Amino acid sequence: MMDEKLKIIQAFRLIDDTFAMVAMNKDAIQLILRIILEDNSIHLNDLKTEFSIKNLQGRDIRLDFLAKQDHNLYYNLELQFYKDGAAEKRAQYYVNAISMYFSNHGDKWTELPHVIVVFIVDFDMFKDKQATYTFHCFAKECMKVDKNGQIITPVKLEDRKIVYVNASAYHNKNSEAAKLVHDLLCTDPDEMYFDILKDCVYKYKRTKEGIKTMCEIMDNFVKESNKIAKAEATYETSVNIAKNMLKMVHH
């Protein structure tokens, strides 16, 4: 059993959210955001993993990583390998939920949080063969094209942005972003480019303390999964009993 656990641990990558939320720290997330957003001025003050936002009148959400910079700037980083889980409406919902959660009564409209949501996926979400897709809110009437064919949007809303990173488009490239994607998909810390990410992986794959932590997390995950499965089975049984009782009554 222990050998099987070790095999699973060694197969984990940083793009796997179960492993990432244990292994990655604030410095790692900061590095990822700086490279993806091409902004070395990003300096995170705080980082939360598996951060839940409750909605009494709607759908609750749980964020993989929620980071804060300065007073009013929030970054949400999501690692997603299922197309349904990466739906663009989900990203939009996350932007709005974060903005509402961190808005206070009495705040001016100009003081609403600036929110940037980043989804890293391993498929071409929008099928246009782009490495990244960046979404802003802009006025279509003001959209222009320069002499190089580049779209210019002089009037856009800067308080929210959604970025999809298509990891599959970075294979066999040599840019900083390609090296980052390589490291996120890599299982061996000795083959990684960035020391910050290498240290995160090394700790939980090569040290006794880190491996022990991962084993405990895996055991807890199995226990919780079994509880949920048992509860669902009990619920299904109860429903079937109720349905059979109703049939008997009607007959």
Side-chain angles (χ1 to χ4, degrees):
M1 179 64 74
M2 187 60 185
D3 288 342
E4 288 300 315
K5 288 181 182 178
L6 291 176
K7 287 181 181 178
I8 294 172
I9 292 172
Q10 296 307 317
F12 274 134
R13 306 162 301 171
L14 286 175
I15 198 113
D16 300 317
D17 56 3
T18 302
F19 182 62
M21 285 185 281
V22 177
M24 287 206 284
N25 54 29
K26 186 171 66 175
D27 290 338
I29 299 301
Q30 180 173 281
L31 173 70
I32 292 170
L33 291 173
R34 283 182 174 183
I35 294 174
I36 289 173
L37 300 175
E38 298 180 341
D39 184 358
N40 286 327
S41 70
I42 293 175
H43 184 78
L44 303 181
N45 300 328
D46 186 41
L47 175 69
K48 293 180 173 61
T49 60
E50 296 187 275
F51 184 78
S52 296
I53 295 180
K54 300 292 183 181
N55 186 344
L56 296 178
Q57 296 182 333
R59 185 171 187 165
D60 297 343
I61 61 174
R62 188 175 67 177
L63 310 176
D64 286 352
F65 297 96
L66 179 67
K68 183 180 180 182
Q69 176 173 322
D70 300 328
H71 168 63
N72 221 20
L73 173 56
Y74 295 88
Y75 299 94
N76 166 220
L77 177 64
E78 297 291 319
L79 306 172
Q80 186 59 249
F81 269 76
Y82 300 99
K83 292 185 178 180
D84 289 344
E88 58 267 34
K89 287 188 176 181
R90 181 178 185 177
Q92 294 174 51
Y93 189 86
Y94 280 19
V95 169
N96 294 328
I98 294 168
S99 182
M100 291 179 65
Y101 186 85
F102 291 103
S103 300
N104 299 308
H105 179 72
D107 284 351
K108 296 178 181 179
W109 292 112
T110 55
E111 296 174 340
L112 290 178
H114 183 176
V115 181
I116 298 175
V117 171
V118 177
F119 270 74
I120 300 180
V121 299
D122 195 29
F123 49 86
D124 192 351
M125 181 75 187
F126 303 99
K127 297 180 173 63
D128 198 45
K129 299 179 181 179
Q130 302 297 321
T132 58
Y133 296 89
T134 303
F135 296 89
H136 285 280
C137 296
F138 63 88
K140 67 177 183 179
E141 293 81 3
C142 302
M143 188 173 67
K144 301 176 183 178
V145 178
D146 66 17
K147 62 181 181 180
N148 297 317
Q150 297 297 313
I151 296 175
I152 303 172
T153 53
V155 181
K156 60 185 177 182
L157 305 181
E158 296 288 354
D159 65 333
R160 54 191 57 205
K161 179 163 65 176
I162 296 172
V163 179
Y164 279 85
V165 178
N166 172 18
S168 65
Y170 283 101
H171 300 325
N172 301 319
K173 293 186 179 181
N174 197 36
S175 64
E176 285 286 280
K179 292 177 180 178
L180 171 65
V181 169
H182 168 274
D183 284 4
L184 294 177
L185 296 172
C186 186
T187 60
D188 187 349
D190 292 332
E191 296 179 359
M192 298 174 75
Y193 289 102
F194 296 99
D195 289 339
I196 291 174
L197 301 181
K198 182 184 296 186
D199 290 344
C200 291
V201 175
Y202 187 91
K203 177 180 178 181
Y204 291 97
K205 289 195 176 192
R206 301 289 174 82
T207 69
K208 290 182 179 179
E209 180 184 356
I211 291 173
K212 180 182 177 182
T213 298
M214 285 305 305
C215 287
E216 291 173 351
I217 290 171
M218 290 169 65
D219 288 341
N220 290 333
F221 179 79
V222 170
K223 288 179 182 178
E224 289 301 316
S225 297
N226 289 338
K227 284 182 182 179
I228 293 172
K230 184 177 180 180
E232 289 178 347
T234 302
Y235 174 78
E236 185 177 355
T237 300
S238 300
V239 169
N240 289 332
I241 291 172
K243 286 181 179 179
N244 290 332
M245 289 178 68
L246 283 172
K247 287 181 182 179
M248 292 174 63
V249 170
H250 289 309
H251 282 98

